[in-house]
Amino acid sequence: MPTVQHTVVDSPYDPLTLVAVDGVLSRLHMTGQRHRPPEETFGDPDPRPFGEAIHQLDAYFAGELTRFELPLHLVGTPFQLKVWELLRHIPYGETRSYGELAEELGSPGASRAVGLANGKNPVGIIVPCHRVIGAGGGLTGYGGGLDRKRRLLAFEAGAAAPDALF
């Protein structure tokens, strides 16, 4: 039986709950997040497995880190895992559309499936699903809420006000 542990950390975007399976980060949950599982699945409270993740999150929110380098324990379908890997390669401060990601996967008609996989990303911010936008450049769904997505994109763009971008 795997060991599941969690901790809660502060962030500029409300508290974040980090969950590890056998000591490896597997989920990051935001307050009010869509698809947030019940808290009884988060395991025992224990900050020990999360030192490097917390360090990198702090550096990201301080504007000092643009790419997370953490081992992750991601559970999903083979298609979801491919999408989540593509998300990790979207550069800081840039965006991609669902269609562009589908093209990169070699499945140009799969933008809707990419969107569904994106929405099930278990490690938001670290696997930057907030960097995916609609075909026309507009903001579309985000499990953490569109306001939080707007704020994350504005932060990465260096904009003083989130409304300056969208």
Side-chain angles (χ1 to χ4, degrees), residues 36-80:
R36 182 180 169 116
E39 291 193 21
E40 54 267 17
T41 67
F42 295 174
D44 294 329
D46 187 346
R48 289 178 296 173
F50 304 101
E52 185 58 25
I54 292 168
H55 172 74
Q56 290 190 31
L57 281 164
D58 287 345
Y60 170 80
F61 293 128
E64 300 164 357
L65 181 91
T66 59
R67 181 174 167 83
F68 291 93
E69 297 291 338
L70 292 168
L72 299 173
H73 178 269
L74 302 178
V75 176
T77 67
F79 183 79
Q80 288 172 330

Side-chain angles (χ1 to χ4, degrees), residues 29-160:
H29 300 293
M30 300 173 201
T31 304
Q33 176 181 341
R34 188 175 17 160
H35 305 301
R36 182 180 169 116
E39 291 193 21
E40 54 267 17
T41 67
F42 295 174
D44 294 329
D46 187 346
R48 289 178 296 173
F50 304 101
E52 185 58 25
I54 292 168
H55 172 74
Q56 290 190 31
L57 281 164
D58 287 345
Y60 170 80
F61 293 128
E64 300 164 357
L65 181 91
T66 59
R67 181 174 167 83
F68 291 93
E69 297 291 338
L70 292 168
L72 299 173
H73 178 269
L74 302 178
V75 176
T77 67
F79 183 79
Q80 288 172 330
L81 293 171
K82 287 179 190 176
V83 170
W84 300 337
E85 184 59 30
L86 276 181
L87 296 176
R88 293 184 82 181
H89 295 285
I90 301 173
Y92 180 92
E94 295 185 21
T95 58
R96 298 288 184 275
S97 72
Y98 298 101
E100 288 171 325
L101 292 176
E103 290 272 342
E104 283 188 56
L105 287 171
S107 301
S111 60
R112 189 171 289 238
V114 167
L116 291 172
N118 192 57
K120 295 282 186 166
N121 171 20
V123 190
I125 299 174
I126 291 171
V127 175
C129 54
H130 61 277
R131 296 179 187 156
V132 183
I133 58 173
L139 293 185
T140 57
Y142 182 60
L146 287 181
D147 180 61
R148 194 175 281 133
K149 180 175 186 166
R150 183 180 294 108
R151 291 170 51 211
L152 283 164
L153 290 172
F155 166 71
E156 289 187 5

Side-chain angles (χ1 to χ4, degrees), residues 14-30:
D14 299 319
L16 303 175
T17 301
L18 307 178
V19 179
V21 174
D22 292 331
V24 180
L25 185 66
S26 68
R27 298 185 311 219
L28 181 153
H29 300 293
M30 300 173 201

